[in-house]
Amino acid sequence: MGYERNDTATDIDLRPIIGLLSNEPEQVVEILTVGAIKKHRKLVDRAERMFQVAHAGYRDDVKEPGDAHLAYLEATIEMHAQMSALTTILNILGRTPKV
């Protein structure tokens, strides 16, 4: 793979979400934020469960990825993608609401 890793991470706001919510009242953004936080918690739990399953019988000598490992990677990617959206919504709201 030719992808180079960048060890410096910066939060990136998702511009489409900023545009989508730019004219919405704070109450609407807060409702969406609470929903996104709840969804993120579920995705974290799912990724953790997938990790446990994928690594329960893991061996170093395996040449091809198993279904459990691929499911774990997909769950983790979904969790991080949703976290980017959540971070953007939190930045728009300007605070973390009680959940």
Side-chain angles (χ1 to χ4, degrees), residues 4-17:
E4 287 189 34
R5 293 175 189 238
N6 184 354
D7 290 334
T8 60
T10 58
D11 287 336
I12 298 173
D13 285 330
L14 299 175
R15 295 180 60 82
I17 293 174

Side-chain angles (χ1 to χ4, degrees), residues 4 12 23 28 41 62 66 77 85 91 94 98:
E4 287 189 34
I12 298 173
N23 294 319
V28 170
R41 289 176 180 171
V62 176
I77 289 167
N91 288 339
K98 290 191 183 264

